[in-house]
């Protein structure tokens, strides 16, 4: 039965194709076409895996569970363990660093902070290069090999770059990454240098780098690995499968993710939709996206939508007003013109979730609270807990709801931020950000008694 289920799904995914998401177009293209937007209308592309619902969903769940203890490198990957759901042939030249398989933690202090009964934190920062990008990059770089590409490129605020650099190195491909000069944390830049990528520091911001990438994508020698590449989303959607396994297939009420270029929220939406189409879950959680106040074009657009649109599967607007000069210390999501905003908005509206923005102060304090749970994340990831607190206060999340916050990057991606917060020197454009949960190092004499005395005072 298991074999039959697996074969049926594998055969089905062999018919996969690329499809334009705009309802007025809906054009389809073969998987071998190296395209990132619809060549006919410019709309966003998605891979339609043509999955067939298994006769026995439990058998498919068991197949995936059993693979978690197998030594096959494909099974050791939290992406390729779900290969029935991916648009690749059995003999595809898989590029893997054992991505995925990230922990789902309880965060009792974070839950208290948000006035929730409980809160779970899915830590995607525990991926091989320290961010959620690795699941998508495994799929995109594999597709680069399938297509016979020599060079892979991306624009990045740092994490996509580090991830692409690592996976390209594994695959023996040339990688070029475009970064906004002076706006990337030292740790992320160091990763890309170490993995041997060509690091191009561009005079401009992330949106300028992204514009350049779209031009470079026309060159036949180049493959773009940003999240407009639909194969990236295929890898990233597997986090929804892994999360549901970790939740014992009990669908949470809310999943909350940070929003930057909007690939991650789109991927979660696709993953959950596919699970529902296959009968593996019976509903989709409300997907909520949180942006930083100074870089929040989609939260602005969402706030302008009428209540009827929020309540239904709305008509997606044609355009979004970009934020000309995005600002935030959460540099990973310092983006004014997100490329995947239409996909993300559609996903959020269909799920019944919301898109909101949080302030720099709210991000900084939420990050320190997550830390008190023994879990480190980078500033962009902390938008989730800051956003949940706001959504609970506004009544959009109820205190007893089952909520999962997705932490997207590791704390060591931006240690300077952490240090400035706790020492009281954090600021954005000379506006100080105070540290309500500061933990300042103390200078102590080198004696046992001095240490015991300070411990006693702090008890
Ligand atoms: N969190 C982190 C740590 C990120 O690095 C990013 C995006 C996001 C959240 C937002 O995810 O773009 O899918 O909405 N970083 C990209 C980069 C832009 O280049 O590393 P998104």
């Amino acid at each position: 039965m298991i074999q039959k289920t697996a074969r049926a799904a594998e055969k089905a995914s062999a018919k996969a194709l690329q499809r334009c998401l705009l309802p007025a177009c809906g054009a389809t293209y073969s998987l071998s076409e190296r395209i990132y937007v619809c060549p006919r209308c410019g709309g966003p592309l998605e891979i339609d895996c043509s999955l067939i619902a298994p006769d026995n969903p439990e058998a498919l769940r068991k197949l995936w569970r059993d693979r978690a203890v197998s030594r096959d490198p494909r099974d050791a990957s939290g992406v390729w363990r779900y290969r029935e759901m991916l648009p690749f042939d059995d003999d595809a030249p898989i590029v893997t660093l054992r991505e995925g398989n990230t922990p789902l933690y309880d965060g009792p202090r974070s839950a208290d902070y948000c006035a929730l009964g409980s809160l779970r934190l899915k830590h995607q920062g525990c991926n091989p290069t320290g961010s959620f990008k690795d699941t998508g990059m495994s799929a995109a770089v594999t597709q680069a090999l399938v297509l016979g590409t020599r060079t892979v490129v991306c624009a990045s605020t740092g994490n996509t770059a580090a991830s692409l650099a690592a996976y390209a190195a594994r695959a023996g491909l040339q990688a070029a990454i475009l970064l906004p000069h002076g706006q990337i944390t030292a740790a992320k830049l160091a990763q890309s240098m170490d993995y041997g990528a060509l690091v191009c520091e561009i005079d401009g911001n992330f949106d300028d780098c992204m514009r350049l990438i779209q031009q470079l994508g026309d060159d036949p020698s180049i493959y773009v690995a940003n999240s407009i590449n639909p194969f990236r989303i295929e890898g990233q959607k597997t986090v929804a499968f892994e999360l549901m396994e970790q939740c014992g297939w009990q669908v949470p009420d809310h999943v909350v993710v940070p929003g930057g270029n909007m690939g991650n929220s789109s991927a979660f939406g696709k993953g959950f939709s596919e699970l529902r189409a296959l009968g593996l879950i019976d509903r989709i959680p409300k997907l909520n996206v949180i942006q930083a106040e100074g870089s929040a074009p989609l939260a602005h657009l969402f706030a302008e939508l009428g209540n009827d649109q929020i309540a239904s599967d709305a008509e997606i607007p044609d355009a979004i007003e970009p934020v000309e000069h995005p600002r935030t210390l959460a540099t990973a999501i310092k983006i004014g013109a997100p490329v995947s905003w239409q996909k993300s908005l559609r996903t959020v509206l269909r799920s019944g979730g919301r898109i909101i923005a949080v302030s720099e102060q709210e991000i900084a304090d939420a990050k320190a609270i997550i830390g008190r749970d023994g879990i480190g994340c980078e500033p962009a990831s902390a938008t989730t807990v800051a956003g949940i607190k706001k959504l609970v206060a506004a009544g959009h999340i109820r205190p007893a709801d089952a909520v999962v916050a997705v932490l997207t990057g590791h704390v060591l991606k931006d240690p300077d931020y952490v240090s400035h917060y706790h020492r009281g020197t954090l600021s954005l454009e000379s506006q100080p950000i105070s540290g309500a949960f500061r933990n300042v190092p103390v200078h102590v004499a080198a004696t046992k008694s001095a240490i015991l005395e300070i411990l006693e005072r702090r008890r």
Side-chain angles (χ1 to χ4, degrees):
M1 180 58 232
I2 294 170
Q3 284 304 318
K4 185 172 164 244
T5 304
R7 263 207 313 275
E10 270 162 24
K11 218 168 115 218
S13 70
K15 286 189 300 191
L17 37 82
Q18 311 190 67
R19 186 186 298 284
C20 173
L21 270 183
L22 294 188
C25 177
T28 58
Y29 306 92
S30 97
L31 294 186
S32 58
E33 296 211 37
R34 198 180 43 86
I35 48 178
Y36 315 102
V37 293
C38 176
R40 189 193 289 174
C41 77
L45 289 175
E46 187 170 84
I47 304 229
D48 178 348
C49 288
S50 308
L51 298 163
I52 297 171
D55 304 335
N56 180 354
E58 187 44 40
L60 192 52
R61 290 191 191 124
K62 183 171 180 322
L63 175 69
W64 293 340
R65 205 166 49 236
D66 290 349
R67 283 182 184 156
V69 291
S70 143
R71 284 166 195 264
D72 182 326
R74 295 178 305 169
D75 296 344
S77 158
V79 169
W80 300 96
R81 195 152 66 83
Y82 305 100
R83 50 191 172 273
E84 287 74 19
M85 309 290 275
L86 298 174
F88 290 92
D89 291 338
D90 269 354
D91 57 356
I94 288 174
V95 185
T96 176
L97 285 164
R98 302 197 173 197
E99 52 290 321
N101 297 316
T102 59
L104 179 66
Y105 296 122
D106 274 338
R109 290 167 196 87
S110 303
D112 271 357
Y113 180 70
C114 297
L116 279 177
S118 67
L119 174 61
R120 284 169 294 176
L121 305 159
K122 172 79 173 147
H123 204 339
Q124 292 289 88
C126 296
N127 267 292
T129 74
S131 88
F132 72 102
K133 306 286 181 180
D134 294 343
T135 52
M137 217 48 91
S138 179
V141 174
T142 297
Q143 180 63 8
L145 289 184
V146 169
L147 295 176
T149 320
R150 265 205 350 251
T151 303
V152 281
V153 300
C154 73
S156 182
T157 56
N159 281 328
T160 302
S163 183
L164 178 62
Y167 280 83
R170 294 298 295 179
L173 293 175
Q174 181 185 38
I177 58 179
L178 273 50
L179 305 169
H181 185 227
Q183 298 181 44
I184 304 297
T185 71
K188 294 177 188 178
L189 197 54
Q191 284 182 291
S192 292
M193 295 192 294
D194 217 32
Y195 301 137
L198 171 68
V199 178
C200 305
E201 298 188 283
I202 304 292
D203 291 327
N205 61 23
F206 171 83
D207 301 309
D208 298 320
C209 295
M210 197 64 229
R211 267 192 295 279
L212 273 169
I213 283 291
Q214 281 161 318
Q215 293 164 19
L216 282 168
D218 291 341
D219 190 292
S221 69
I222 281 177
Y223 193 52
V224 173
N226 279 100
S227 56
I228 40 166
N229 179 328
F231 287 88
R232 265 278 304 277
I233 302 301
E234 289 306 295
Q236 277 177 219
K237 77 182 181 186
T238 59
V239 63
F241 312 157
E242 185 175 287
L243 176 62
M244 287 318 306
E245 269 189 329
Q246 290 169 315
C247 293
W249 299 94
Q250 300 294 307
V251 181
D253 299 303
H254 290 269
V255 171
V256 185
V257 300
N261 219 13
M262 296 298 166
N264 197 26
S265 40
S266 310
F268 263 101
K270 188 167 196 284
F272 286 126
S273 301
E274 289 182 356
L275 290 181
R276 189 174 60 175
L278 292 192
L280 292 166
I281 55 175
D282 56 4
R283 67 189 170 94
I284 290 179
K286 289 194 169 81
L287 199 66
N288 302 277
V289 179
I290 319 294
Q291 298 201 285
E293 236 168 47
S295 308
L298 203 53
H300 298 159
L301 178 63
F302 188 87
E304 282 164 15
L305 295 177
N307 273 337
D308 52 334
Q309 278 177 300
I310 291 177
S312 72
D313 181 2
E315 284 283 303
I316 303 296
D318 289 337
I320 186 168
E321 183 76 38
V323 171
E324 214 52 60
H325 301 290
R327 15 183 335 266
T328 174
L329 291 173
T331 51
I333 50 172
K334 190 172 166 188
I335 294 173
V339 287
S340 297
W341 68 271
Q342 281 172 309
K343 270 190 197 175
S344 175
L345 183 59
R346 189 182 73 139
T347 300
V348 171
L349 289 172
R350 286 192 174 168
S351 78
R354 308 189 78 85
I355 306 173
I356 63 163
V358 289
S359 69
E360 294 298 307
Q361 186 67 57
E362 288 167 328
I363 296 170
D365 288 336
K367 207 188 98 50
I369 292 292
I370 297 166
R372 297 284 172 93
D373 270 322
I375 300 166
C377 67
E378 67 167 288
S381 308
T383 57
T384 53
V385 168
I388 292 167
K389 186 174 166 64
K390 272 184 121 165
L391 289 169
V392 173
H396 296 306
I397 296 181
R398 290 168 304 181
D401 280 350
V403 184
V404 175
V406 179
L407 305 180
T408 44
H410 198 279
V411 64
L412 295 178
K413 289 283 191 173
D414 195 353
D416 276 356
Y417 180 103
V418 187
S419 183
H420 280 302
Y421 176 86
H422 289 292
R423 291 178 188 278
T425 50
L426 194 64
S427 67
L428 176 60
E429 292 163 8
S430 347
Q431 283 182 330
I433 292 155
S434 65
F437 306 100
R438 280 172 66 188
N439 179 26
V440 194
V442 282
H443 193 178
V444 192
T447 64
K448 178 180 170 186
S449 60
I451 293 169
L452 285 177
E453 190 195 322
I454 199 154
L455 280 172
E456 190 53 40
R457 258 194 277 141
R458 293 278 180 107
R459 269 188 190 125

